[in-house]
Amino acid sequence: MKEYRFGIVGATGLVGSEFIKVLEQRNPPIKSVKMLASYRSAGKKLFFNHQEYTVEETIPESFDDIDIALFSAGGDTSKHFSPIAAKAGAVVVDNSSAWRMEPDVPLVVPEINPDDIQKHKGIIANPNCSTIQMVVALYPLHKVNPIKRIIVDTYQAVAGTGIRAVEELKTQVVQVLEGKETIPHVYPHQIAFNALPEIGVFLDNGYTKEEWKMVEETRKIMHAPDIAVSATCVRIPVLTGHSEAVHVEFTNVMLPEDARQILSQAPGVKVLDDPVISLYPQAWPCAGTDETFVGRIRQDASNPKGLAMWIVADNLRKGAALNAVQIAEEMIKRDWVRPGGR
Ligand code: 25A
Ligand code: L14
């Protein structure tokens, strides 16, 4: 089997460390790994498979000996370095929002649209975390009974914002319990013991960027440009694991028991749904897991063709690092990587 030279850009970040863990666990055919970050982290040591690696500053030449570059270093870094990496012959799987809506760039959830990978021209985009877990759960239902409309409200963990936000929540929780004043740095307001309906910048239409990503990315991944989507994205004081209350309208009636049956056989999905024993997905136990968990599946009382459900996944794994590694695995399996750009 061919072996590939991997690079991790943003290796010191939250998603970067998850890339390392997921690669160790899934063990794709790796010839070498290069740990890349900004100059701030150059010289730092990271471990991969019990071996020590020194973090290097990302420079254009970094990509000369990389076949697959996993990026999670923010939109600006990705805008700058992805084309350079692609030109040098690497295939970029990018976790930022920089390239997702470019017509030339596949936006991929391997359970849904793996064939789109083949169209890549050196850059493949990993979707937004909230969108990934929603489409993993909804696409199997959409295939048998096309979805017309989705209303989704999210309850998003601070890990989605990065390391500094995790520190901010932990610090503020202690400050509040000690009766001290909190000063927000990462978020516009205190996040401890609070809920903030603002994720990403506000757009002219009143939605936030995160909410609008859920609209556009859902349609692109599912190849369903006509699905109507309305989202409200809320940051809550949870460390890891995004939760979503989702209301879906189908073309025809969909019974909750049929949905449960379909989802119990869907790839990457685990149904946790037994109200009698308070069984439903929760953010805390889902941290560190790979599945998208679905529960509270019930008829939407306001819509005869509607279902309501609760969807939870680890935003750093299925929402980011795991999905990106699965894209790389799919490319390798189908021989759609072009090592050295050939
Ligand atoms: O633009 P986007 O797409 O919205 O993404 C913005 C940020 O969201 C996170 C990720 O942060 C990203 O940077 N993110 C993106 N998608 C996500 C998803 N789906 C997601 N989070 C969850 N789910 P992060 O903290 O996880 O990772 C940041 C990493 O990016 C590296 N990096 C930054 N600039 C770079 C670069 N790498 C290469 N070239 C560049 N020019 C960054 O490395 C980190 O690995 P670092 O060396 O800059 O960071 C080392 C330490 O310093 C902290 N830090 C970073 N910037 C600052 C900082 N501390 C203070 N001030 C700063 N300005 C980092 O937290 C790290 O601990
Ligand atoms: O578009 O929870 O991938 O803050 C990932 C993290 C959007 C915001 C993306 C979060 C970002 C999200």
Side-chain angles (χ1 to χ4, degrees):
M1 192 175 202
K2 272 191 225 166
E3 288 191 323
Y4 297 85
R5 299 165 298 177
F6 278 70
I8 302 179
V9 182
T12 53
L14 274 187
V15 177
S17 16
E18 215 58 44
F19 274 140
I20 294 170
K21 278 190 231 161
V22 173
L23 287 175
E24 284 175 340
Q25 288 161 354
R26 299 178 69 92
N27 198 25
I30 298 178
K31 190 189 262 173
S32 59
V33 179
K34 206 186 238 184
M35 304 292 183
L36 299 164
S38 74
Y39 67 90
R40 290 181 292 270
S41 294
K44 213 178 144 185
K45 307 290 181 197
L46 291 175
F47 283 88
F48 175 70
N49 280 339
H50 306 291
Q51 220 176 306
E52 193 179 79
Y53 290 79
T54 304
V55 177
E56 299 169 40
E57 179 182 356
T58 313
I59 55 171
E61 294 72 31
S62 303
F63 302 98
D64 289 347
D65 53 0
I66 290 176
D67 301 312
I68 300 176
L70 305 173
F71 270 65
S72 188
D76 292 342
T77 305
S78 177
K79 271 243 153 71
H80 181 70
F81 280 115
S82 298
I84 294 172
K87 200 151 176 240
V91 180
V92 173
V93 183
D94 179 41
N95 193 46
S96 84
S97 52
W99 304 99
R100 291 178 187 152
M101 294 315 295
E102 294 292 324
D104 265 5
V105 175
L107 181 66
V108 178
V109 178
E111 289 88 343
I112 299 175
N113 59 336
D115 293 345
D116 287 355
I117 296 172
Q118 192 175 15
K119 293 179 226 143
H120 80 77
K121 297 192 168 66
I123 304 175
I124 300 166
N126 196 62
N128 161 272
C129 36
S130 306
T131 307
I132 293 177
Q133 66 183 70
M134 184 172 82
V135 295
V136 164
L138 294 189
Y139 187 70
L141 305 174
H142 173 75
K143 270 200 298 188
V144 301
N145 188 349
I147 290 172
K148 298 187 109 159
R149 181 175 184 222
I150 302 167
I151 313 247
V152 52
D153 302 311
T154 70
Y155 305 69
Q156 297 186 215
V158 295
T161 319
I163 293 168
R164 288 175 64 231
V166 171
E167 294 310 320
E168 178 148 304
L169 172 58
K170 289 179 178 170
T171 304
Q172 288 183 355
V173 164
V174 175
Q175 286 171 331
V176 172
L177 293 179
E178 288 177 349
K180 293 187 184 142
E181 194 195 343
T182 62
I183 301 163
H185 296 286
V186 177
Y187 296 116
H189 305 282
Q190 175 183 308
I191 183 62
F193 305 100
N194 207 357
L196 307 175
E198 177 181 355
I199 300 185
V201 295
F202 280 103
L203 307 175
D204 290 342
N205 62 7
Y207 284 90
T208 63
K209 186 82 193 291
E210 177 80 349
E211 291 161 354
W212 210 248
K213 287 175 194 170
M214 295 194 77
V215 177
E216 296 188 318
E217 296 183 22
T218 298
R219 294 173 178 161
K220 179 167 175 178
I221 299 160
M222 291 177 47
H223 297 186
D226 296 329
I227 293 185
V229 183
S230 181
T232 302
C233 293
V234 183
R235 185 79 59 195
I236 58 161
V238 157
L239 290 174
T240 305
H242 288 356
S243 306
E244 301 176 339
V246 182
H247 292 75
V248 197
E249 181 182 321
F250 296 91
T251 304
N252 303 301
V253 171
M254 166 79 82
L255 298 176
E257 51 267 38
D258 292 343
R260 248 177 245 119
Q261 171 64 23
I262 292 164
L263 289 177
S264 65
Q265 289 164 16
V269 177
K270 184 154 194 207
V271 177
L272 295 179
D273 196 9
D274 190 352
V276 176
I277 55 167
S278 297
L279 181 68
Y280 37 72
Q282 299 164 59
W284 181 269
C286 111
T289 65
D290 288 348
E291 293 94 343
T292 294
F293 299 93
V294 189
R296 298 293 321 280
I297 301 169
R298 62 203 190 275
Q299 191 86 52
D300 182 339
S302 73
N303 186 341
K305 293 179 182 167
L307 283 184
M309 63 189 83
W310 179 249
I311 303 171
V312 179
D314 183 328
N315 55 302
L316 298 177
R317 290 183 74 90
K318 188 55 188 168
L322 171 64
N323 195 75
V325 171
Q326 286 174 319
I327 292 173
E329 288 172 343
E330 205 65 37
M331 265 197 302
I332 291 170
K333 196 173 87 191
R334 303 184 186 215
D335 206 12
W336 287 341
V337 192
R338 293 159 300 158
R342 287 173 293 279

